[in-house]
C-alpha cells in the first residue's frame, strides 16, 4: 500500500489536558521527537520530518496552549507543567530511549527533561533553547516580591486582552512574513495555514493562548537548573543563528555546563535557523544523528 503523504494526528492526556501530536509513521524505527518553541506549532517541523521519516519514527507534539493542543484553563504555562507534559508524552509512547530535536522554548523543556532522565535520551539537538545565562537569571531572582507583583499585574492584563483577529488568511500570512523576513513565501504560507484557525465570525487567529505571553513568576533556582544541565550525559548538538535575537552561549560560559556538547553557529540565520538555513541544518543533523 502506498504510504500517506502527511502525518496522522493523535492525542495524549497530561494533567487532564488533551494534548496533540502528529505521527509520521515508521513505528519500528527509533523514536525521534521534534519539539517546537513558543507560539509555534507541530507542523512547523514538516520539512524536517519529511527528510527523517524513513530512518526514524518521528513524533511532533503541540505544547499545551499551542497548535491543536488544549489551553490550560488557569493559564498555567510554567516550566514544571511543560516538562511534565514532555515526560508524559515519552511515557505514553512507551519507549526506553528517545532522540530529541527541540527549538527555543521546546529546547529549554527538552534540556531539563534530558537532565532529569539522562538514561532515556540517546542524542539531543538543541536549537537556541537554553534561556538566559546563569548570571542574568540570578539577577532576576533577587527581588522575588517585585517579580510576583509584576506577574499578578501582567496576568490580569492578559485576561483582558482580546485575541488578535485577521480579516483574511492572507493578512495572517503577511504578518508571518513580516515577523521572519528569512522565510520563503512557501514556508510562510505553510506555517500560516497550519498555525491559524478560523473564528465563528469568519476572521482568523493564531492557535496559541494569550497567557503564553506572561512568563511564570516561579521557577527552579538557577543552581538547580545548572545542575540539570550538568547531568546530561548524551551527545548534544547546539545550533545558533548569528542573526538571532537569542544570544549565543559561545562567550557567556553556558557551554561549560555541557561537557558532551558541540556548538555550531549559522551565518545568515535568525532564531528559526532550521527554516532559514534548511539544507545546512539537515546536513548537520543527519551527520550528528548518524
Amino acid at each position: 500500500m502506498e504510504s500517506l503523504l502527511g502525518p496522522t494526528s493523535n492525542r495524549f492526556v497530561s494533567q487532564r489536558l488533551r494534548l496533540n501530536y502528529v505521527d509520521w509513521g515508521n513505528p519500528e524505527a527509533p523514536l525521534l521527537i521534534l519539539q517546537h518553541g513558543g507560539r509555534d506549532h507541530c507542523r512547523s517541523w514538516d520539512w524536517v520530518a519529511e527528510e527523517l521519516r524513513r530512518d526514524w519514527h518521528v513524533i511532533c507534539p503541540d505544547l499545551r496552549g499551542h497548535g491543536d493542543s488544549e489551553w490550560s484553563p488557569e493559564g498555567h504555562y510554567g516550566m514544571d507543567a511543560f516538562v511534565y507534559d514532555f515526560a508524559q508524552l515519552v511515557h505514553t509512547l512507551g519507549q526506553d530511549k528517545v532522540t530529541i530535536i527541540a527549538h527555543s522554548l521546546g529546547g529549554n523543556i527538552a534540556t531539563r527533561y534530558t537532565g532529569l532522565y539522562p538514561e532515556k535520551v540517546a542524542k539531543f539537538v538543541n536549537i537556541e533553547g537554553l534561556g538566559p545565562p546563569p548570571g542574568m537569571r540570578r539577577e532576576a531572582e533577587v527581588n522575588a516580591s517585585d517579580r510576583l507583583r509584576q506577574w499578578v499585574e501582567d496576568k490580569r492584563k492578559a485576561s483582558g486582552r482580546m485575541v488578535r483577529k485577521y480579516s483574511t488568511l492572507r493578512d495572517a500570512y503577511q504578518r508571518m512574513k513580516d515577523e521572519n523576513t528569512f522565510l520563503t513565501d512557501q514556508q510562510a504560507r505553510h506555517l500560516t495555514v497550519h498555525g491559524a484557525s478560523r473564528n465563528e465570525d469568519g476572521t482568523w487567529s493564531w492557535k496559541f493562548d494569550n497567557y503564553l505571553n506572561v512568563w511564570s513568576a516561579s521557577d527552579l533556582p538557577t543552581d538547580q537548573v545548572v545542575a540539570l544541565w550538568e547531568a546530561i550525559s548524551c551527545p548534544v548538538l547546539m545550533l545558533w543563528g548569528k542573526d538571532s535575537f537569542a544570544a549565543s552561549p559561545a562567550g557567556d560560559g553556558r557551554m561549560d555546563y555541557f561537557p558532551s556538547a558541540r556548538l555550531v553557529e549559522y551565518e545568515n540565520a535568525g532564531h528559526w535557523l532550521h527554516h532559514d538555513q534548511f539544507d545546512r541544518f539537515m546536513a548537520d543533523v543527519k551527520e550528528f544523528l548518524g
Side-chain angles (χ1 to χ4, degrees), residues 131-282:
M136 190 179 298
R137 285 181 54 92
R138 289 190 178 95
E139 288 178 12
E141 290 171 354
V142 173
N143 297 313
S145 58
D146 290 344
R147 190 172 71 254
L148 278 168
R149 278 192 291 269
Q150 185 64 51
W151 175 78
V152 169
E153 183 178 338
D154 291 343
K155 288 278 279 191
R156 192 169 290 137
K157 288 179 180 177
S159 71
R161 181 181 174 185
M162 300 298 293
V163 174
R164 185 168 183 175
K165 295 184 176 182
Y166 299 88
S167 298
T168 66
L169 197 58
R170 176 74 188 185
D171 291 339
Y173 158 84
Q174 190 57 53
R175 172 62 178 164
M176 177 74 70
K177 286 280 288 183
D178 294 342
E179 184 73 13
N180 185 357
T181 56
F182 284 100
L183 291 175
T184 66
D185 292 347
Q186 189 266 340
Q187 285 176 321
R189 182 183 181 281
H190 182 90
L191 294 172
T192 301
V193 166
H194 290 288
S197 59
R198 199 158 201 178
N199 300 307
E200 189 174 356
D201 62 2
T203 61
W204 297 82
S205 296
W206 300 116
K207 294 179 179 178
F208 61 80
D209 189 350
N210 275 333
Y211 277 100
L212 287 161
N213 293 310
V214 182
W215 289 106
S216 176
S218 60
D219 192 10
L220 293 175
T222 296
D223 290 345
Q224 293 183 25
V225 173
V226 168
L228 288 176
W229 293 356
E230 293 175 326
I232 294 174
S233 57
C234 71
V236 179
L237 177 63
M238 292 195 181
L239 304 178
W240 247 259
K242 287 198 170 184
D243 297 316
S244 174
F245 59 78
S248 170
D252 59 27
R254 280 178 291 176
M255 291 300 297
D256 296 340
Y257 301 111
F258 296 90
S260 62
R262 178 169 64 94
L263 173 67
V264 180
E265 296 178 300
Y266 281 38
E267 299 279 357
N268 301 314
H271 186 54
W272 288 266
L273 62 88
H274 49 303
H275 295 157
D276 305 341
Q277 293 291 335
F278 177 75
D279 290 341
R280 180 183 175 187
F281 169 78
M282 289 310 312

Side-chain angles (χ1 to χ4, degrees), residues 12-19 64 81 84-86 88:
F12 73 104
V13 177
S14 179
Q15 301 173 95
R16 299 181 181 172
L17 293 183
R18 289 171 58 82
L19 303 182
R64 58 169 52 209
Y84 181 92
D85 293 342
F86 192 92
Q88 181 64 8

Side-chain angles (χ1 to χ4, degrees), residues 102 104 107-108 111 124-130 236-240:
S104 195
N108 274 276
T111 299
F124 176 29
V125 179
N126 185 325
I127 309 167
E128 300 205 3
L130 284 183
V236 179
L237 177 63
M238 292 195 181
L239 304 178
W240 247 259

